[in-house]
Amino acid sequence: MISVGTSLESSRKCVTHAQKYINVYATVGVHPNDTAVTDFSDMEELKQLAKSSQRVVAIGETGLDYYRDRAAPEVQKKWLEQHLALALELNLPVILHARKSEHDLLDLVYPFIQAGGSAVWHCFTAGKKLLPEVGEKALSMGLMLGIGGVITFEDQQALREFLPLIPDKHLLLETDSPFLNPRPRVSDRNDPLQTVRIAEEVARLRGVTLEDIARVTTRNACAFFRMYDETEEKGKIAYAIRNSLYIALTNDCTNNCEFCARNQSYVVKGHDIKLDHEPSAAEVLAAMGDVSKYDEVVFCGFGEPTMRLEVLKTVAAQMKQQGQTVRLNTNGLSNLYYQRDIVPELVGLVDVVSVSLNTADPAQYRQMCRPRFGEAAYEGMCEFIRACVAAGLKTVCTAVEMPEIDLAAARRKTAELGAEFRARSYVDAG
Ligand code: SF4
């Protein structure tokens, strides 16, 4: 739990609680609505409080509130600037509040971010027309967006529509206790226990499971506020997303796509899948554990699974013996890699082959995917797709929804190859 200071007095209490309880962290700050009744000289005590304990993880709640009108905007701005300066000085993130002040807030926070600061827009929302614009601007600045009970409110359709567009790495959950009780209300007062209800709604709207959202937002919160996360695991070989169990066999790849998500981070839906070694079949099977609860097993990861063909075949054979559905996500360049047709070796072991076609234009493919096989790559991939179709494997070609990709042409090319087509969202891997 993070106990958020909103005045000098409450900041003192937050720090006391954080030092007393192992699962409580603190922030210190003066809420914009309190700025008219607080003296600027109190900033010095806030600074000393922030420095007094390593369990102080952020500066704030600070920001601008033109809705309540309890302090003049110029006074609020001055306080916000002081908070931002303190956060930079102490190298702490900032918790921001905005009401009817979205553009002013972003304008003031911009130089702070440029100077290396980090911030969360707490209980993110805005007016219906304004929300997509300020949301995109906040994301482009690198802000985290905190989602609270407001996501369950009937009049927040704009927020519900924007929510799936927030990349995983920018997403946090919060309660704003004792305010903003999720709907339907189960008590008069909001409390941290209600986070799970917010998480359930966020999971539903983003089309993932509660476990996925819990994992993603716990990792984000621990990284953003620099708190220790005892649940964090690195180098996962097997990782669950929705009802699928994904397998990472390698970080090596015959492509070097310019859009590959691993160029930014090896974290997928809260799983760190940067392998410290290439696992054996026995290690993979041990990492998978009981697979009976999953709908499918998917060979994927940040790398090309077919580069570990023998391990892939051994694990897939075990899965088929257990009656599992097996999917292979591939760049389709394995026949070029092995200089032979490997498709017959997949028959009976793999149910679905998903090939990243990416584009109908070979020149664009070469430019975007930077294959190690150069000009031969695109036609080699098409040959692989034709071979999969001819072998009776369910074959799906995918392309990422990006402005520079002609999805209609990719769809036509897929039909020509005899496969099914699926457009993938660019927002997040996994
Ligand atoms: S084929 Fe996949 S894993 Fe390989 S570089 Fe491209 S996006 Fe990344």
Side-chain angles (χ1 to χ4, degrees):
M1 277 181 282
I2 298 173
S3 187
V4 177
T6 56
S7 65
L8 183 57
E9 183 52 32
S10 68
S11 296
R12 286 190 197 115
K13 283 186 185 164
C14 290
V15 175
T16 304
H17 286 148
Q19 281 170 326
K20 191 169 170 190
Y21 302 106
I22 189 71
N23 57 340
V24 177
Y25 293 83
T27 78
V28 301
V30 177
H31 191 282
N33 290 340
D34 276 45
T35 53
V37 293
T38 312
D39 198 282
F40 275 115
S41 60
D42 288 341
M43 261 329 272
E44 184 52 34
E45 187 176 341
L46 278 181
K47 180 175 169 177
Q48 294 313 321
L49 266 177
K51 286 169 75 175
S52 70
S53 167
Q54 293 210 327
R55 300 184 66 78
V56 174
V57 293
I59 299 298
E61 181 174 342
T62 180
L64 302 173
D65 192 327
Y66 300 167
Y67 176 76
R68 294 262 180 233
D69 198 23
R70 292 199 187 141
E74 291 318 309
V75 173
Q76 296 187 40
K77 284 180 185 174
K78 200 167 162 198
W79 272 98
L80 172 58
E81 283 170 345
Q82 299 256 350
H83 280 80
L84 296 175
L86 180 61
L88 276 184
E89 185 185 336
L90 302 183
N91 192 24
L92 287 171
V94 160
I95 297 177
L96 298 169
H97 167 108
R99 258 189 119 178
K100 300 271 182 205
S101 58
E102 293 83 357
H103 284 300
D104 277 6
L105 180 96
L106 291 174
D107 287 348
L108 280 176
V109 170
Y110 184 75
F112 165 75
I113 299 291
Q114 292 296 98
S118 57
V120 53
W121 185 328
H122 119 86
C123 275
F124 171 71
T125 190
K128 196 162 70 180
K129 284 198 184 133
L130 199 59
L131 194 144
E133 181 194 337
V134 295
E136 276 165 29
K137 193 169 172 193
L139 290 174
S140 72
M141 282 168 55
L143 265 58
M144 303 294 286
L145 299 183
I147 304 298
V150 171
I151 195 69
T152 64
F153 293 6
E154 272 173 16
D155 62 353
Q156 289 289 325
Q157 191 53 29
L159 180 60
R160 277 198 284 276
E161 284 170 12
F162 189 74
L163 180 78
L165 304 178
I166 302 173
D168 281 343
K169 64 181 180 182
H170 289 269
L171 189 67
L172 290 175
L173 300 183
E174 58 175 292
T175 56
D176 202 30
S177 310
F179 311 111
L180 301 179
N181 216 335
R183 306 294 193 262
R185 283 173 190 269
V186 292
S187 68
D188 290 339
R189 196 193 68 164
N190 198 5
D191 63 54
L193 275 177
Q194 306 310 322
T195 314
V196 71
R197 294 177 55 213
I198 296 161
E200 280 167 352
E201 183 64 358
V202 169
R204 190 183 72 76
L205 291 166
R206 288 171 74 89
V208 293
T209 62
L210 176 62
E211 288 76 17
D212 291 331
I213 285 299
R215 189 176 53 250
V216 166
T217 54
T218 300
R219 174 179 278 274
N220 286 349
C222 290
F224 181 75
F225 293 108
R226 294 174 216 148
M227 300 181 295
Y228 173 65
D229 178 7
E230 74 269 15
T231 65
E232 188 176 309
E233 277 179 63
K234 288 196 162 56
K236 280 192 181 175
I237 299 167
Y239 53 104
I241 298 176
R242 301 182 190 89
N243 297 324
S244 304
L245 185 65
Y246 286 77
I247 310 298
L249 296 180
T250 180
N251 287 151
D252 199 1
C253 189
T254 40
N255 274 350
N256 179 21
C257 303
E258 60 182 18
F259 57 81
C260 184
R262 67 181 176 169
N263 295 337
Q264 266 114 54
S265 158
Y266 273 85
V267 175
V268 179
K269 288 270 179 286
H271 299 289
D272 182 333
I273 59 167
K274 184 166 176 49
L275 300 171
D276 54 17
H277 69 288
E278 293 195 330
S280 65
E283 283 177 292
V284 174
L285 289 165
M288 293 167 76
D290 177 11
V291 296
S292 60
K293 63 181 173 190
Y294 300 107
D295 293 345
E296 60 173 352
V297 166
V298 187
F299 291 96
C300 185
F302 278 139
E304 173 49 40
T306 58
M307 292 175 84
R308 308 284 324 284
L309 188 59
E310 293 310 313
V311 172
L312 187 157
K313 281 160 48 181
T314 305
V315 175
Q318 287 270 345
M319 290 304 104
K320 291 315 295 173
Q321 271 179 17
Q322 293 178 36
Q324 258 295 348
T325 299
V326 176
R327 171 156 56 107
L328 166 64
N329 287 0
T330 175
N331 61 17
L333 302 183
S334 45
N335 287 356
L336 289 173
Y337 182 67
Y338 289 105
Q339 291 290 297
R340 70 170 198 271
D341 182 9
I342 68 149
V343 172
E345 299 169 51
L346 301 177
V347 175
L349 300 180
V350 170
D351 300 285
V352 184
V353 181
S354 177
V355 186
S356 308
L357 181 78
N358 292 321
T359 172
D361 177 353
Q364 188 182 37
Y365 182 85
R366 207 173 149 195
Q367 187 202 342
M368 273 190 335
C369 299
R370 303 180 287 206
R372 69 170 73 161
F373 306 110
E375 273 182 24
Y378 193 79
E379 187 44 36
M381 172 180 62
C382 292
E383 265 307 307
F384 176 81
I385 294 166
R386 285 189 203 101
C388 288
V389 173
L393 294 168
K394 181 177 162 72
T395 312
V396 182
C397 294
T398 65
V400 178
E401 290 166 341
M402 294 192 291
E404 59 270 40
I405 298 295
D406 184 343
L407 286 179
R411 191 181 293 277
R412 282 196 300 275
K413 180 71 186 177
T414 302
E416 208 181 289
L417 295 167
E420 295 173 28
F421 181 74
R422 186 168 75 86
R424 291 187 290 131
S425 159
Y426 185 54
V427 174
D428 268 311

